[in-house]
Amino acid sequence: MDLVAGIDIGGTKTKIGLVAKNGDCLQQSFFRTQEFENFDDFLIRIKTEIEALEAKLDFPVNLIGCGIGAPNASSRNGTIENAANLKWKGSVPVLEKFKQHLDVPMRIMNDASAAALGEMLFGNAKNMNDFIVITLGTGLGAGIVANGKLIEGYDGFAGELGHIDMTLGDGRLTGLNVRGGLEAYVSATGLKRTVLYMLCKYMDESRFRDVAYNDLHGEDITKAAEEGDPIALKAFDYTAKIMGLALANFTAFTQPRAFFLMGGLVNSGKWILDPLQTYFEDYLLEVYKGKVKILTSGMEGKTAAICGAAALIWEEQN
Amino acid sequence: MDLVAGIDIGGTKTKIGLVAKNGDCLQQSFFRTQEFENFDDFLIRIKTEIEALEAKLDFPVNLIGCGIGAPNASSRNGTIENAANLKWKGSVPVLEKFKQHLDVPMRIMNDASAAALGEMLFGNAKNMNDFIVITLGTGLGAGIVANGKLIEGYDGFAGELGHIDMTLGDGRLTGLNVRGGLEAYVSATGLKRTVLYMLCKYMDESRFRDVAYNDLHGEDITKAAEEGDPIALKAFDYTAKIMGLALANFTAFTQPRAFFLMGGLVNSGKWILDPLQTYFEDYLLEVYKGKVKILTSGMEGKTAAICGAAALIWEEQN
């Protein structure tokens, strides 16, 4: 059976799976990325995992390729470059090195762009030519599809929408030291920062007056909103407002048919999605109103990142 | 000889030209758009002009098509919709109506998008797959090319970058009532508004303390900068700063190889372009630094808009 190895390299975990043409992930595993100081040791571990997964299947596997999603990956150069959350610094020639260990067709791409390809091949964006996937985890990532093709950019770094500044250079700093960067507001981390901002700005009673920043978790903010905590409600409203404005701005760029949201912040459900919908329509230019949908990803769950990475190879088989 | 009629419908003038395959505009004319309350009369006038231009040539013309650039045009619908600077309100079915008068292949597109096609076919973006044309006149328009194709969007309204808000909803209003809209800062009009802002913010002596807003002209601001007028210098610096931030944001979207600037504000030359270059590089994410050029259009001059419109048809002949 023809299968693709989908590999998602994250700051914490590296996930590996064997993915069939229909998007089913037949086997999967993960290990901790940070265990590996040496990048070659890391690649050897990936190869070992792939072989172990193949052995678990009770039919012969024809590995037709290997797709990799990673932060700060350049699809054109086959590299990971200066990733803030990974140990390997500078420009890491991922494909060049991995080909020394495994001789199959390989592609690497920014994880959010891979997610967009996954959404197009296996998820809710089938037959859609213009859409944007937004990942809302520790940061904010984006995969942009226009004219039916992923926008990769001149050397493969398009879609860094988490680092767009919407404050005229006068806002919060992101991890990349970008002032006013969107992900400092709109992401799981951004929501936590906004809880602090609201605790500072208002004097409402709140359960979060007894919680330190490092003990704040997204689920607790959702739970507090359900209980009517005024700081949690204000934090969701503020996050939704900035996100609504951001998605309205993005619409003016490529006029997508839909946005697909995925990642931790989406788990807050209606607390973020309902006000987001209202602010978004309000901020949209007249000519776009009522035309652009905000949807959740059809790839949610443990294998979304793996299938997105595998889509890099399956896309080329069509 | 095969020729294309290129038509640029502007708020003030409508320009018409006959354009050869190499981008040469062999004949051209214009008339005042506002003379025509009735849209059909307007189309009949265009047809008459095309015939008059054909008659001026001393060889037989084979008109192979008609390309139209206009504000708020939808390429997918063949319409102009709610254009702020045109008399005809609502959704105007341009192609459907014009085909009743002239039976040749026709396309219509947002004027800035047409300019981008012109740049790709006839100008400085030949063989470039990823670039953005920015028009800086009364407003700010954009034509975005990625993967070698113009981004039109779901129903043809992509590229409205003049109405992106970079102030978290707390800035100047544009003509479309968008708060914080980019063109309220970065355009020929935006520069004039910034002169007022600087006269208000600072108490420097300036020739502009004796000039009313409606008497302010871009050329005078350039001349004042040459003479060292502190308000003019501050206005250019502020405009360049916001524009640098905006182009850095746009880079994070599609990672273009280059921006091509055209329109009135570009005529201010080094006063805008030099500080723009500095701010732009400063605001760029690390991964983009040194990779993205800011260039002036190769289409500057009277026939740029006409040739851009004609490119809509010539593009399809390749």
Side-chain angles (χ1 to χ4, degrees):
Chain A
M1 186 181 190
D2 287 353
L3 292 178
V4 168
I7 299 160
D8 177 61
I9 303 177
T12 311
K13 289 179 191 173
T14 292
K15 299 175 194 163
I16 300 165
L18 297 178
V19 180
K21 185 167 188 165
N22 64 358
D24 281 354
C25 182
L26 304 185
Q27 286 289 340
Q28 57 175 306
S29 65
F30 70 89
F31 60 86
R32 298 186 65 79
T33 311
Q34 287 136 318
E35 285 174 27
F36 296 87
E37 296 279 348
N38 182 290
F39 190 68
D40 271 300
D41 293 342
F42 172 74
L43 294 175
I44 290 166
R45 173 66 184 267
I46 290 180
K47 192 195 173 193
T48 312
E49 289 289 335
I50 293 174
E51 288 166 351
L53 294 176
E54 287 179 355
K56 283 187 192 171
L57 293 170
D58 54 3
F59 48 81
V61 171
N62 179 29
L63 193 73
I64 65 163
C66 182
I68 305 171
N72 292 60
S74 165
S75 51
R76 301 242 195 266
N77 306 338
T79 53
I80 296 177
E81 302 191 12
N82 305 303
N85 300 318
L86 297 178
K87 281 190 175 174
W88 317 297
K89 295 305 168 197
S91 176
V92 185
V94 182
L95 295 196
E96 188 188 316
K97 287 194 168 238
F98 200 25
K99 276 179 180 160
Q100 294 167 11
H101 299 284
L102 189 63
D103 186 25
V104 293
M106 284 179 195
R107 283 178 81 195
I108 188 170
M109 199 174 273
N110 178 291
D111 39 14
S113 294
L117 276 188
E119 201 72 44
M120 189 157 55
L121 257 67
F122 308 130
N124 287 341
K126 283 174 187 164
N127 305 316
M128 214 179 261
N129 280 322
D130 300 277
F131 68 93
I132 300 180
V133 166
I134 305 276
T135 64
L136 298 158
T138 313
L140 183 154
I144 307 162
V145 171
N147 293 317
K149 284 197 70 177
L150 192 79
I151 297 184
E152 299 186 51
Y154 168 61
D155 72 344
F157 287 108
E160 289 287 351
L161 303 189
H163 304 291
I164 277 186
D165 180 318
M166 298 190 0
T167 68
L168 294 187
D170 186 32
R172 297 179 191 169
L173 286 175
T174 69
L176 286 178
N177 239 15
V178 175
R179 196 173 298 277
L182 184 59
E183 72 178 23
Y185 299 85
V186 181
S187 64
T189 314
L191 178 67
K192 285 169 55 181
R193 294 171 75 168
T194 296
V195 166
L196 296 196
Y197 173 69
M198 293 302 166
L199 286 170
C200 146
K201 183 164 179 180
Y202 299 101
M203 284 303 286
D204 301 77
E205 281 302 308
S206 165
R207 64 146 85 178
F208 297 117
R209 296 220 179 267
D210 295 311
V211 182
Y213 177 77
N214 280 335
D215 296 325
L216 261 178
H217 297 290
E219 312 92 85
D220 298 332
I221 307 174
T222 307
K223 197 147 175 267
E226 278 161 12
E227 291 164 1
D229 187 294
I231 292 298
L233 293 171
K234 285 184 168 96
F236 276 118
D237 186 75
Y238 184 81
T239 305
K241 183 175 180 177
I242 296 180
M243 187 170 175
L245 183 57
L247 297 191
N249 280 348
F250 299 165
T251 299
F253 216 96
T254 56
Q255 200 198 6
R257 182 76 190 96
F259 290 95
F260 295 97
L261 309 183
M262 61 196 298
L265 190 55
V266 180
N267 297 334
S268 298
K270 70 172 179 177
W271 301 103
I272 185 78
L273 298 176
D274 287 359
L276 170 64
Q277 186 63 45
T278 307
Y279 283 119
F280 175 65
E281 278 296 329
D282 191 43
Y283 282 125
L284 275 182
L285 268 185
E286 204 58 37
V287 75
Y288 303 130
K289 280 188 201 290
K291 293 180 183 172
V292 189
K293 292 176 187 156
I294 299 180
L295 304 170
T296 49
S297 165
M299 302 287 289
E300 270 306 352
K302 285 173 190 158
T303 61
I306 290 172
C307 291
L312 293 174
I313 300 296
W314 279 123
E315 178 205 34
E316 300 198 318
Q317 304 295 311
N318 291 324
Chain B
M1 186 181 189
D2 288 351
L3 292 178
V4 168
I7 299 160
D8 176 61
I9 303 178
T12 312
K13 289 178 191 173
T14 292
K15 300 175 194 164
I16 299 164
L18 297 177
V19 179
K21 185 169 186 164
N22 64 359
D24 281 354
C25 182
L26 304 185
Q27 284 291 340
Q28 57 175 305
S29 66
F30 69 90
F31 60 87
R32 297 187 65 79
T33 311
Q34 288 136 320
E35 283 173 28
F36 297 87
E37 296 278 348
N38 182 293
F39 190 68
D40 271 300
D41 293 344
F42 172 74
L43 294 175
I44 290 165
R45 174 65 185 268
I46 290 180
K47 192 195 173 192
T48 313
E49 289 289 335
I50 293 173
E51 289 166 352
L53 293 176
E54 287 179 356
K56 282 188 192 170
L57 293 170
D58 54 3
F59 49 80
V61 171
N62 178 31
L63 193 71
I64 65 162
C66 182
I68 305 171
N72 292 61
S74 164
S75 51
R76 301 242 194 264
N77 307 338
T79 53
I80 296 177
E81 303 192 10
N82 306 303
N85 300 318
L86 297 178
K87 281 189 178 177
W88 317 298
K89 295 306 168 197
S91 177
V92 184
V94 182
L95 295 197
E96 188 189 314
K97 286 192 169 241
F98 200 25
K99 276 178 180 162
Q100 295 166 10
H101 299 286
L102 190 64
D103 186 27
V104 294
M106 285 180 193
R107 283 178 80 195
I108 188 169
M109 199 174 273
N110 178 291
D111 40 13
S113 294
L117 276 187
E119 200 72 44
M120 189 157 56
L121 257 67
F122 309 130
N124 286 342
K126 282 175 189 164
N127 305 318
M128 213 179 262
N129 280 324
D130 300 277
F131 67 93
I132 300 179
V133 166
I134 305 277
T135 63
L136 299 157
T138 312
L140 182 153
I144 307 162
V145 172
N147 293 317
K149 283 198 70 177
L150 192 78
I151 296 184
E152 299 186 52
Y154 168 60
D155 72 343
F157 287 109
E160 287 288 350
L161 303 189
H163 303 292
I164 277 185
D165 180 318
M166 296 190 359
T167 69
L168 294 187
D170 186 34
R172 298 179 190 170
L173 287 175
T174 69
L176 287 180
N177 240 15
V178 176
R179 195 173 297 277
L182 183 59
E183 72 178 23
Y185 299 85
V186 181
S187 64
T189 314
L191 178 67
K192 284 169 56 180
R193 293 171 76 167
T194 297
V195 166
L196 295 196
Y197 172 69
M198 293 301 168
L199 286 169
C200 146
K201 181 165 181 179
Y202 300 100
M203 284 302 287
D204 301 77
E205 282 301 310
S206 165
R207 62 146 85 177
F208 296 117
R209 297 219 178 267
D210 295 312
V211 182
Y213 177 77
N214 280 334
D215 296 327
L216 261 177
H217 297 289
E219 314 90 86
D220 297 332
I221 306 174
T222 307
K223 196 148 176 267
E226 279 160 11
E227 291 164 1
D229 186 293
I231 293 297
L233 292 172
K234 286 184 167 97
F236 276 119
D237 186 74
Y238 185 82
T239 305
K241 182 175 181 177
I242 296 180
M243 188 170 175
L245 182 56
L247 297 191
N249 280 348
F250 300 165
T251 299
F253 216 97
T254 57
Q255 201 199 7
R257 183 79 190 92
F259 290 94
F260 295 97
L261 310 183
M262 61 195 297
L265 190 56
V266 179
N267 296 334
S268 298
K270 70 171 179 179
W271 300 103
I272 185 78
L273 299 177
D274 287 359
L276 170 64
Q277 185 63 47
T278 306
Y279 282 119
F280 175 65
E281 279 296 331
D282 191 42
Y283 282 125
L284 274 182
L285 268 184
E286 205 57 37
V287 74
Y288 304 130
K289 280 189 200 292
K291 294 180 183 173
V292 189
K293 293 176 188 158
I294 298 179
L295 304 170
T296 49
S297 166
M299 302 287 289
E300 270 306 353
K302 284 171 193 162
T303 62
I306 290 172
C307 291
L312 292 175
I313 301 295
W314 278 123
E315 178 204 33
E316 302 199 317
Q317 304 295 311
N318 290 325

